[in-house]
Amino acid sequence: MSRRYFLGRCTGVGLGAIALGVIDAAAAALVGQRTLAGLPGLPHFPPRAKQVIFLTQSGGPSQIELFDHKPGLEHWAGKELPESVRQGQRVTTMTANQKQLIMPSRTRFARFGECRATIGEWLPYLSEVVDDLCFVKSMVTDQINHAPAMTKFLTGHQLAGRPSIGGWTSYGLGSENRDLPDYLVLISRMQRPSDQPLYDHYWGSGFLPSRYQGVKLRNARDPVLYLRDPKGMPRHLRRGMLDGLGELNQFHLDETGDPEIATRIQQYEMAWQMQSSVPELSDLSDEPEEVFELYGPDSRRPGTYAANCILARRLVERGVRFVQLFHPDWDHHSRLKSWCTARCRDTDQASAALVKDLKRRGLLDETLVVWGGEFGRGVAGQGQWDSPEAGRDHHPRCFTVWLAGGGIKAGLTHGATDDFSFNVVEDPVHVRDLHATILHLLGIDHEQFTYRYQGLDFKLTGVEHARVVKPLLA
C-alpha cells in the first residue's frame, strides 16, 4: 500500500485526498493521450525539423582519417607530440606509458562539391552529397572512455540515469503516428562481436515515465518478437483480453495513482497497433529495385546498417519523431586501416543514400540527420606508429560530426582544429551545445524545457552553460 493511498483513502486526510485526485486526473489524461501533440506549450516556436534520424557511430570514428585533413603531419611522422600541443592533457591508460609518437593520416584527402569540403578517400559516397551536409569539426566532450562518453553524448550526463535525447524529444513533442512508438532504435547486425556493449540507458527514459524510452527493433527478419497472435486465437478474442487487462490496470491506477500503470496501459495498446504496423514497416518488398541499388547490396539483408537506413526513412515517412541507428565497432586501437575501412564500407553508401533519398522525397527539409560518435581519435599512433597493426587511442578534445536537413545550413564547415587535430582553435562546440541546437531545430528552447525530479528541474543540457550554435542554422 503506497503512502499516497494510505493518506488519501484510509486516514481521511484532506490534503492527501486532494493530491491523489490531482494525480489521478493527470494519469487519466495520460492514458487517453495516444496523442499527436506533446506537452502543452510545445513547441516553443515554429520548428525547422519535425523528426530526427540520429546515425550513432559507436566507438569513436577517427576524424584524422575521415574528415580533418592535416597534411603537415607527414613532417612530424614518428616524432613526439610537442608538450605545447598536448598541454598535459590526459590520455587513457592504454597509451599513458608509451611515447606519443605522431602517426600521419593513413588515407588521402580531396575537396568535393561547391563547398570544397575535405573528405577522406574511404568515404567516396559521402563526397557526393557534401553540399547537403554541415560538418562540425570542432566538437568537444569531457569524457575519455566509451561508456561515460556515449552516455554524455546521448543523455547530456556521463552517469546513467538521465533521459536520452530521443526520450526528451518524445516527452516534449509526442508523435504523429498512433501505430508506432515515438522513439525507435535500430542496431546493426555485425559480422563480428563488438568490444563495446550498447547499454539500454543510451536510449532510456531515465527519470521520465518509461513510455518515453526508445523501443529497440531486433536486427532480424522479425523486428519485434511475439507480435503474432498464437495459433488458434482470433483477433476478437485478443482484443477482448486486452480490454479486460486495461480495465484491471485502470482500476489499479485509480487506486494508486502510479504513472507507470498508465504507461503499461499505453504499451499494451501500442503492442496491439504494432501487430499490424511493424510487419508492414519491415516488409521491404514494396521498395523498387532502384532503392536497393541506391543504398547498396547490404540493404537486402535485414539488420544491416543499410537496411536500417531504409527502415529509418520509412519510419519518418510514417511520422515517427525520433529514429536512432547504432553502428558499433569504430574503436580502432589497432589495425586502424583495416577496421576503419571496413566500417566505412558498412556505412558510407547507405548514409549518403539516406540523404539523397530524403531529399528527393521532399523529406530532408523537415528531417534532421545527425552522424557522429562519442569522441574522436588521437594523433599519436597506438603501438608501433609505422606498423600496419597501429591504431589510435581515444581523444575527447576534438572530433567531427555532420548534420543535414531540418534547418541546417548546407555546405558549411564549422570550426577548426590545430595542425595536429588535437585541440580546437576555432568555434568549439560542446556536446551540450549540440543538444541545445538539435532541440532548437525542433522548436524547443532548451533553457525552458525541464522535468521536475526529486525537487530539481532537470534539463537535457544540464546546469553548465549551453548555447544554440546559430552559425549552423540555415
Side-chain angles (χ1 to χ4, degrees), residues 371-402:
W371 184 102
E374 66 269 38
F375 44 53
R377 314 304 294 193
V379 68
Q382 184 169 352
Q384 184 64 35
W385 71 270
D386 56 353
S387 164
E389 298 295 314
R392 298 189 187 278
D393 201 358
H394 310 164
H395 189 62
R397 296 299 302 166
C398 63
F399 60 107
T400 299
V401 303
W402 61 256

PDB file of all heavy atoms in Angstrom, residues 371-402:
ATOM      1  N   TRP A 371      25.061  12.595 -37.748  1.00  0.00           N
ATOM      2  CA  TRP A 371      26.015  11.478 -37.835  1.00  0.00           C
ATOM      3  C   TRP A 371      27.178  11.785 -36.905  1.00  0.00           C
ATOM      4  O   TRP A 371      27.770  12.861 -36.976  1.00  0.00           O
ATOM      5  CB  TRP A 371      26.525  11.339 -39.267  1.00  0.00           C
ATOM      6  CG  TRP A 371      27.441  10.168 -39.538  1.00  0.00           C
ATOM      7  CD1 TRP A 371      27.123   8.994 -40.148  1.00  0.00           C
ATOM      8  CD2 TRP A 371      28.859  10.076 -39.242  1.00  0.00           C
ATOM      9  NE1 TRP A 371      28.229   8.175 -40.242  1.00  0.00           N
ATOM     10  CE2 TRP A 371      29.306   8.804 -39.694  1.00  0.00           C
ATOM     11  CE3 TRP A 371      29.778  10.931 -38.638  1.00  0.00           C
ATOM     12  CZ2 TRP A 371      30.634   8.384 -39.557  1.00  0.00           C
ATOM     13  CZ3 TRP A 371      31.100  10.501 -38.483  1.00  0.00           C
ATOM     14  CH2 TRP A 371      31.505   9.240 -38.949  1.00  0.00           C
ATOM     15  N   GLY A 372      27.537  10.820 -36.032  1.00  0.00           N
ATOM     16  CA  GLY A 372      28.704  11.033 -35.189  1.00  0.00           C
ATOM     17  C   GLY A 372      28.834   9.983 -34.112  1.00  0.00           C
ATOM     18  O   GLY A 372      27.925   9.183 -33.871  1.00  0.00           O
ATOM     19  N   GLY A 373      29.995   9.996 -33.466  1.00  0.00           N
ATOM     20  CA  GLY A 373      30.289   9.106 -32.354  1.00  0.00           C
ATOM     21  C   GLY A 373      30.597   9.892 -31.103  1.00  0.00           C
ATOM     22  O   GLY A 373      30.517  11.128 -31.069  1.00  0.00           O
ATOM     23  N   GLU A 374      30.992   9.185 -30.041  1.00  0.00           N
ATOM     24  CA  GLU A 374      31.103   9.802 -28.726  1.00  0.00           C
ATOM     25  C   GLU A 374      32.353  10.646 -28.551  1.00  0.00           C
ATOM     26  O   GLU A 374      32.403  11.520 -27.694  1.00  0.00           O
ATOM     27  CB  GLU A 374      31.040   8.732 -27.628  1.00  0.00           C
ATOM     28  CG  GLU A 374      32.213   7.754 -27.604  1.00  0.00           C
ATOM     29  CD  GLU A 374      31.986   6.505 -28.438  1.00  0.00           C
ATOM     30  OE1 GLU A 374      31.390   6.609 -29.533  1.00  0.00           O
ATOM     31  OE2 GLU A 374      32.414   5.422 -27.990  1.00  0.00           O
ATOM     32  N   PHE A 375      33.407  10.392 -29.333  1.00  0.00           N
ATOM     33  CA  PHE A 375      34.626  11.209 -29.330  1.00  0.00           C
ATOM     34  C   PHE A 375      35.417  10.878 -30.584  1.00  0.00           C
ATOM     35  O   PHE A 375      34.931  10.154 -31.462  1.00  0.00           O
ATOM     36  CB  PHE A 375      35.469  11.024 -28.057  1.00  0.00           C
ATOM     37  CG  PHE A 375      35.659   9.587 -27.579  1.00  0.00           C
ATOM     38  CD1 PHE A 375      36.140   8.604 -28.419  1.00  0.00           C
ATOM     39  CD2 PHE A 375      35.386   9.240 -26.261  1.00  0.00           C
ATOM     40  CE1 PHE A 375      36.331   7.297 -27.977  1.00  0.00           C
ATOM     41  CE2 PHE A 375      35.568   7.941 -25.799  1.00  0.00           C
ATOM     42  CZ  PHE A 375      36.035   6.976 -26.663  1.00  0.00           C
ATOM     43  N   GLY A 376      36.632  11.430 -30.691  1.00  0.00           N
ATOM     44  CA  GLY A 376      37.473  11.171 -31.854  1.00  0.00           C
ATOM     45  C   GLY A 376      38.653  10.285 -31.493  1.00  0.00           C
ATOM     46  O   GLY A 376      38.641   9.572 -30.486  1.00  0.00           O
ATOM     47  N   ARG A 377      39.687  10.357 -32.320  1.00  0.00           N
ATOM     48  CA  ARG A 377      40.901   9.574 -32.094  1.00  0.00           C
ATOM     49  C   ARG A 377      42.099  10.510 -32.037  1.00  0.00           C
ATOM     50  O   ARG A 377      42.117  11.595 -32.628  1.00  0.00           O
ATOM     51  CB  ARG A 377      41.136   8.545 -33.214  1.00  0.00           C
ATOM     52  CG  ARG A 377      39.959   7.728 -33.632  1.00  0.00           C
ATOM     53  CD  ARG A 377      39.286   6.946 -32.524  1.00  0.00           C
ATOM     54  NE  ARG A 377      40.068   5.888 -31.921  1.00  0.00           N
ATOM     55  CZ  ARG A 377      39.550   4.951 -31.126  1.00  0.00           C
ATOM     56  NH1 ARG A 377      38.255   4.955 -30.840  1.00  0.00           N
ATOM     57  NH2 ARG A 377      40.308   4.029 -30.589  1.00  0.00           N
ATOM     58  N   GLY A 378      43.143  10.058 -31.298  1.00  0.00           N
ATOM     59  CA  GLY A 378      44.326  10.878 -31.090  1.00  0.00           C
ATOM     60  C   GLY A 378      45.302  10.819 -32.248  1.00  0.00           C
ATOM     61  O   GLY A 378      45.320   9.865 -33.039  1.00  0.00           O
ATOM     62  N   VAL A 379      46.158  11.836 -32.343  1.00  0.00           N
ATOM     63  CA  VAL A 379      47.115  11.927 -33.452  1.00  0.00           C
ATOM     64  C   VAL A 379      48.275  10.958 -33.286  1.00  0.00           C
ATOM     65  O   VAL A 379      48.912  10.558 -34.267  1.00  0.00           O
ATOM     66  CB  VAL A 379      47.626  13.382 -33.583  1.00  0.00           C
ATOM     67  CG1 VAL A 379      48.484  13.758 -32.373  1.00  0.00           C
ATOM     68  CG2 VAL A 379      48.384  13.588 -34.884  1.00  0.00           C
ATOM     69  N   ALA A 380      48.560  10.543 -32.053  1.00  0.00           N
ATOM     70  CA  ALA A 380      49.662   9.603 -31.829  1.00  0.00           C
ATOM     71  C   ALA A 380      49.232   8.190 -32.216  1.00  0.00           C
ATOM     72  O   ALA A 380      48.067   7.809 -32.051  1.00  0.00           O
ATOM     73  CB  ALA A 380      50.095   9.636 -30.373  1.00  0.00           C
ATOM     74  N   GLY A 381      50.172   7.440 -32.741  1.00  0.00           N
ATOM     75  CA  GLY A 381      49.893   6.051 -33.049  1.00  0.00           C
ATOM     76  C   GLY A 381      49.885   5.208 -31.790  1.00  0.00           C
ATOM     77  O   GLY A 381      50.715   5.406 -30.900  1.00  0.00           O
ATOM     78  N   GLN A 382      48.960   4.285 -31.705  1.00  0.00           N
ATOM     79  CA  GLN A 382      48.956   3.332 -30.595  1.00  0.00           C
ATOM     80  C   GLN A 382      49.668   2.082 -31.072  1.00  0.00           C
ATOM     81  O   GLN A 382      49.312   1.505 -32.096  1.00  0.00           O
ATOM     82  CB  GLN A 382      47.536   3.008 -30.154  1.00  0.00           C
ATOM     83  CG  GLN A 382      47.494   2.100 -28.932  1.00  0.00           C
ATOM     84  CD  GLN A 382      46.099   1.992 -28.342  1.00  0.00           C
ATOM     85  OE1 GLN A 382      45.185   2.699 -28.735  1.00  0.00           O
ATOM     86  NE2 GLN A 382      45.938   1.095 -27.376  1.00  0.00           N
ATOM     87  N   GLY A 383      50.672   1.646 -30.315  1.00  0.00           N
ATOM     88  CA  GLY A 383      51.551   0.597 -30.805  1.00  0.00           C
ATOM     89  C   GLY A 383      52.675   1.221 -31.634  1.00  0.00           C
ATOM     90  O   GLY A 383      53.006   2.398 -31.486  1.00  0.00           O
ATOM     91  N   GLN A 384      53.270   0.448 -32.514  1.00  0.00           N
ATOM     92  CA  GLN A 384      54.324   0.957 -33.397  1.00  0.00           C
ATOM     93  C   GLN A 384      53.681   1.802 -34.488  1.00  0.00           C
ATOM     94  O   GLN A 384      52.963   1.292 -35.336  1.00  0.00           O
ATOM     95  CB  GLN A 384      55.105  -0.211 -34.009  1.00  0.00           C
ATOM     96  CG  GLN A 384      56.283   0.193 -34.866  1.00  0.00           C
ATOM     97  CD  GLN A 384      57.362   0.921 -34.070  1.00  0.00           C
ATOM     98  OE1 GLN A 384      57.591   0.605 -32.903  1.00  0.00           O
ATOM     99  NE2 GLN A 384      57.997   1.903 -34.702  1.00  0.00           N
ATOM    100  N   TRP A 385      53.938   3.107 -34.468  1.00  0.00           N
ATOM    101  CA  TRP A 385      53.179   4.054 -35.290  1.00  0.00           C
ATOM    102  C   TRP A 385      53.243   3.746 -36.788  1.00  0.00           C
ATOM    103  O   TRP A 385      52.298   4.013 -37.528  1.00  0.00           O
ATOM    104  CB  TRP A 385      53.659   5.486 -35.035  1.00  0.00           C
ATOM    105  CG  TRP A 385      55.035   5.770 -35.604  1.00  0.00           C
ATOM    106  CD1 TRP A 385      56.232   5.608 -34.979  1.00  0.00           C
ATOM    107  CD2 TRP A 385      55.326   6.243 -36.917  1.00  0.00           C
ATOM    108  NE1 TRP A 385      57.263   5.930 -35.801  1.00  0.00           N
ATOM    109  CE2 TRP A 385      56.737   6.336 -37.014  1.00  0.00           C
ATOM    110  CE3 TRP A 385      54.567   6.594 -38.030  1.00  0.00           C
ATOM    111  CZ2 TRP A 385      57.392   6.780 -38.173  1.00  0.00           C
ATOM    112  CZ3 TRP A 385      55.213   7.027 -39.182  1.00  0.00           C
ATOM    113  CH2 TRP A 385      56.597   7.121 -39.252  1.00  0.00           C
ATOM    114  N   ASP A 386      54.364   3.174 -37.277  1.00  0.00           N
ATOM    115  CA  ASP A 386      54.519   2.930 -38.711  1.00  0.00           C
ATOM    116  C   ASP A 386      54.210   1.485 -39.094  1.00  0.00           C
ATOM    117  O   ASP A 386      54.520   1.042 -40.201  1.00  0.00           O
ATOM    118  CB  ASP A 386      55.922   3.307 -39.176  1.00  0.00           C
ATOM    119  CG  ASP A 386      57.026   2.588 -38.398  1.00  0.00           C
ATOM    120  OD1 ASP A 386      56.705   1.891 -37.398  1.00  0.00           O
ATOM    121  OD2 ASP A 386      58.206   2.717 -38.765  1.00  0.00           O
ATOM    122  N   SER A 387      53.568   0.745 -38.190  1.00  0.00           N
ATOM    123  CA  SER A 387      53.223  -0.652 -38.462  1.00  0.00           C
ATOM    124  C   SER A 387      51.787  -0.738 -38.977  1.00  0.00           C
ATOM    125  O   SER A 387      50.920   0.062 -38.590  1.00  0.00           O
ATOM    126  CB  SER A 387      53.351  -1.468 -37.175  1.00  0.00           C
ATOM    127  OG  SER A 387      52.693  -2.712 -37.295  1.00  0.00           O
ATOM    128  N   PRO A 388      51.490  -1.725 -39.848  1.00  0.00           N
ATOM    129  CA  PRO A 388      50.090  -1.942 -40.253  1.00  0.00           C
ATOM    130  C   PRO A 388      49.175  -2.283 -39.080  1.00  0.00           C
ATOM    131  O   PRO A 388      47.957  -2.170 -39.198  1.00  0.00           O
ATOM    132  CB  PRO A 388      50.190  -3.126 -41.227  1.00  0.00           C
ATOM    133  CG  PRO A 388      51.603  -3.143 -41.692  1.00  0.00           C
ATOM    134  CD  PRO A 388      52.412  -2.633 -40.553  1.00  0.00           C
ATOM    135  N   GLU A 389      49.767  -2.705 -37.951  1.00  0.00           N
ATOM    136  CA  GLU A 389      48.981  -3.045 -36.770  1.00  0.00           C
ATOM    137  C   GLU A 389      48.626  -1.829 -35.919  1.00  0.00           C
ATOM    138  O   GLU A 389      47.888  -1.955 -34.945  1.00  0.00           O
ATOM    139  CB  GLU A 389      49.745  -4.058 -35.912  1.00  0.00           C
ATOM    140  CG  GLU A 389      50.013  -5.388 -36.606  1.00  0.00           C
ATOM    141  CD  GLU A 389      48.720  -6.131 -36.897  1.00  0.00           C
ATOM    142  OE1 GLU A 389      47.861  -6.216 -35.995  1.00  0.00           O
ATOM    143  OE2 GLU A 389      48.568  -6.611 -38.027  1.00  0.00           O
ATOM    144  N   ALA A 390      49.138  -0.661 -36.242  1.00  0.00           N
ATOM    145  CA  ALA A 390      48.949   0.518 -35.400  1.00  0.00           C
ATOM    146  C   ALA A 390      47.506   1.005 -35.438  1.00  0.00           C
ATOM    147  O   ALA A 390      46.789   0.828 -36.428  1.00  0.00           O
ATOM    148  CB  ALA A 390      49.888   1.635 -35.843  1.00  0.00           C
ATOM    149  N   GLY A 391      47.107   1.626 -34.333  1.00  0.00           N
ATOM    150  CA  GLY A 391      45.781   2.237 -34.257  1.00  0.00           C
ATOM    151  C   GLY A 391      45.872   3.594 -33.599  1.00  0.00           C
ATOM    152  O   GLY A 391      46.949   4.190 -33.515  1.00  0.00           O
ATOM    153  N   ARG A 392      44.737   4.079 -33.117  1.00  0.00           N
ATOM    154  CA  ARG A 392      44.709   5.370 -32.421  1.00  0.00           C
ATOM    155  C   ARG A 392      43.887   5.221 -31.140  1.00  0.00           C
ATOM    156  O   ARG A 392      42.900   4.493 -31.105  1.00  0.00           O
ATOM    157  CB  ARG A 392      44.091   6.459 -33.302  1.00  0.00           C
ATOM    158  CG  ARG A 392      44.857   6.744 -34.584  1.00  0.00           C
ATOM    159  CD  ARG A 392      44.302   7.991 -35.277  1.00  0.00           C
ATOM    160  NE  ARG A 392      44.891   8.196 -36.585  1.00  0.00           N
ATOM    161  CZ  ARG A 392      46.066   8.764 -36.829  1.00  0.00           C
ATOM    162  NH1 ARG A 392      46.787   9.203 -35.795  1.00  0.00           N
ATOM    163  NH2 ARG A 392      46.523   8.908 -38.054  1.00  0.00           N
ATOM    164  N   ASP A 393      44.304   5.971 -30.126  1.00  0.00           N
ATOM    165  CA  ASP A 393      43.607   5.946 -28.837  1.00  0.00           C
ATOM    166  C   ASP A 393      42.444   6.943 -28.853  1.00  0.00           C
ATOM    167  O   ASP A 393      42.287   7.745 -29.774  1.00  0.00           O
ATOM    168  CB  ASP A 393      44.601   6.286 -27.729  1.00  0.00           C
ATOM    169  CG  ASP A 393      44.148   5.818 -26.351  1.00  0.00           C
ATOM    170  OD1 ASP A 393      43.042   5.253 -26.246  1.00  0.00           O
ATOM    171  OD2 ASP A 393      44.908   6.033 -25.374  1.00  0.00           O
ATOM    172  N   HIS A 394      41.625   6.912 -27.800  1.00  0.00           N
ATOM    173  CA  HIS A 394      40.501   7.838 -27.660  1.00  0.00           C
ATOM    174  C   HIS A 394      41.002   9.282 -27.589  1.00  0.00           C
ATOM    175  O   HIS A 394      42.074   9.551 -27.049  1.00  0.00           O
ATOM    176  CB  HIS A 394      39.725   7.562 -26.369  1.00  0.00           C
ATOM    177  CG  HIS A 394      39.361   6.132 -26.174  1.00  0.00           C
ATOM    178  ND1 HIS A 394      38.956   5.626 -24.950  1.00  0.00           N
ATOM    179  CD2 HIS A 394      39.322   5.077 -27.029  1.00  0.00           C
ATOM    180  CE1 HIS A 394      38.690   4.340 -25.058  1.00  0.00           C
ATOM    181  NE2 HIS A 394      38.917   3.982 -26.311  1.00  0.00           N
ATOM    182  N   HIS A 395      40.170  10.206 -28.077  1.00  0.00           N
ATOM    183  CA  HIS A 395      40.536  11.622 -27.976  1.00  0.00           C
ATOM    184  C   HIS A 395      39.273  12.474 -27.846  1.00  0.00           C
ATOM    185  O   HIS A 395      38.498  12.591 -28.794  1.00  0.00           O
ATOM    186  CB  HIS A 395      41.331  12.064 -29.202  1.00  0.00           C
ATOM    187  CG  HIS A 395      41.911  13.437 -29.062  1.00  0.00           C
ATOM    188  ND1 HIS A 395      42.826  13.757 -28.092  1.00  0.00           N
ATOM    189  CD2 HIS A 395      41.684  14.583 -29.753  1.00  0.00           C
ATOM    190  CE1 HIS A 395      43.150  15.037 -28.193  1.00  0.00           C
ATOM    191  NE2 HIS A 395      42.468  15.564 -29.200  1.00  0.00           N
ATOM    192  N   PRO A 396      39.054  13.077 -26.674  1.00  0.00           N
ATOM    193  CA  PRO A 396      37.832  13.858 -26.468  1.00  0.00           C
ATOM    194  C   PRO A 396      37.942  15.329 -26.844  1.00  0.00           C
ATOM    195  O   PRO A 396      36.927  16.021 -26.910  1.00  0.00           O
ATOM    196  CB  PRO A 396      37.602  13.725 -24.957  1.00  0.00           C
ATOM    197  CG  PRO A 396      38.987  13.614 -24.385  1.00  0.00           C
ATOM    198  CD  PRO A 396      39.796  12.864 -25.412  1.00  0.00           C
ATOM    199  N   ARG A 397      39.160  15.822 -27.100  1.00  0.00           N
ATOM    200  CA  ARG A 397      39.368  17.259 -27.236  1.00  0.00           C
ATOM    201  C   ARG A 397      38.935  17.808 -28.592  1.00  0.00           C
ATOM    202  O   ARG A 397      38.751  19.007 -28.744  1.00  0.00           O
ATOM    203  CB  ARG A 397      40.834  17.603 -26.991  1.00  0.00           C
ATOM    204  CG  ARG A 397      41.290  17.307 -25.595  1.00  0.00           C
ATOM    205  CD  ARG A 397      40.516  18.087 -24.562  1.00  0.00           C
ATOM    206  NE  ARG A 397      40.615  19.534 -24.761  1.00  0.00           N
ATOM    207  CZ  ARG A 397      39.840  20.422 -24.182  1.00  0.00           C
ATOM    208  NH1 ARG A 397      38.864  20.020 -23.374  1.00  0.00           N
ATOM    209  NH2 ARG A 397      40.010  21.707 -24.398  1.00  0.00           N
ATOM    210  N   CYS A 398      38.784  16.962 -29.592  1.00  0.00           N
ATOM    211  CA  CYS A 398      38.232  17.423 -30.867  1.00  0.00           C
ATOM    212  C   CYS A 398      37.796  16.211 -31.682  1.00  0.00           C
ATOM    213  O   CYS A 398      38.479  15.194 -31.711  1.00  0.00           O
ATOM    214  CB  CYS A 398      39.218  18.280 -31.651  1.00  0.00           C
ATOM    215  SG  CYS A 398      40.722  17.457 -32.169  1.00  0.00           S
ATOM    216  N   PHE A 399      36.626  16.328 -32.285  1.00  0.00           N
ATOM    217  CA  PHE A 399      36.152  15.307 -33.206  1.00  0.00           C
ATOM    218  C   PHE A 399      35.139  15.944 -34.141  1.00  0.00           C
ATOM    219  O   PHE A 399      34.818  17.139 -34.007  1.00  0.00           O
ATOM    220  CB  PHE A 399      35.593  14.083 -32.467  1.00  0.00           C
ATOM    221  CG  PHE A 399      34.429  14.328 -31.546  1.00  0.00           C
ATOM    222  CD1 PHE A 399      33.148  13.922 -31.884  1.00  0.00           C
ATOM    223  CD2 PHE A 399      34.612  14.921 -30.295  1.00  0.00           C
ATOM    224  CE1 PHE A 399      32.079  14.103 -31.019  1.00  0.00           C
ATOM    225  CE2 PHE A 399      33.540  15.104 -29.415  1.00  0.00           C
ATOM    226  CZ  PHE A 399      32.271  14.698 -29.787  1.00  0.00           C
ATOM    227  N   THR A 400      34.656  15.169 -35.100  1.00  0.00           N
ATOM    228  CA  THR A 400      33.795  15.706 -36.151  1.00  0.00           C
ATOM    229  C   THR A 400      32.457  14.995 -36.151  1.00  0.00           C
ATOM    230  O   THR A 400      32.395  13.771 -36.017  1.00  0.00           O
ATOM    231  CB  THR A 400      34.458  15.541 -37.543  1.00  0.00           C
ATOM    232  OG1 THR A 400      35.690  16.266 -37.564  1.00  0.00           O
ATOM    233  CG2 THR A 400      33.550  16.059 -38.648  1.00  0.00           C
ATOM    234  N   VAL A 401      31.391  15.765 -36.304  1.00  0.00           N
ATOM    235  CA  VAL A 401      30.075  15.217 -36.621  1.00  0.00           C
ATOM    236  C   VAL A 401      29.573  15.956 -37.855  1.00  0.00           C
ATOM    237  O   VAL A 401      30.062  17.043 -38.196  1.00  0.00           O
ATOM    238  CB  VAL A 401      29.059  15.384 -35.461  1.00  0.00           C
ATOM    239  CG1 VAL A 401      29.567  14.741 -34.190  1.00  0.00           C
ATOM    240  CG2 VAL A 401      28.704  16.841 -35.234  1.00  0.00           C
ATOM    241  N   TRP A 402      28.622  15.346 -38.562  1.00  0.00           N
ATOM    242  CA  TRP A 402      27.954  16.098 -39.626  1.00  0.00           C
ATOM    243  C   TRP A 402      26.450  16.034 -39.442  1.00  0.00           C
ATOM    244  O   TRP A 402      25.919  15.103 -38.834  1.00  0.00           O
ATOM    245  CB  TRP A 402      28.393  15.657 -41.013  1.00  0.00           C
ATOM    246  CG  TRP A 402      28.157  14.236 -41.457  1.00  0.00           C
ATOM    247  CD1 TRP A 402      29.090  13.242 -41.547  1.00  0.00           C
ATOM    248  CD2 TRP A 402      26.922  13.665 -41.954  1.00  0.00           C
ATOM    249  NE1 TRP A 402      28.522  12.096 -42.031  1.00  0.00           N
ATOM    250  CE2 TRP A 402      27.191  12.320 -42.294  1.00  0.00           C
ATOM    251  CE3 TRP A 402      25.622  14.146 -42.118  1.00  0.00           C
ATOM    252  CZ2 TRP A 402      26.204  11.455 -42.808  1.00  0.00           C
ATOM    253  CZ3 TRP A 402      24.639  13.297 -42.614  1.00  0.00           C
ATOM    254  CH2 TRP A 402      24.946  11.969 -42.953  1.00  0.00           C
TER     255      TRP A 402
END
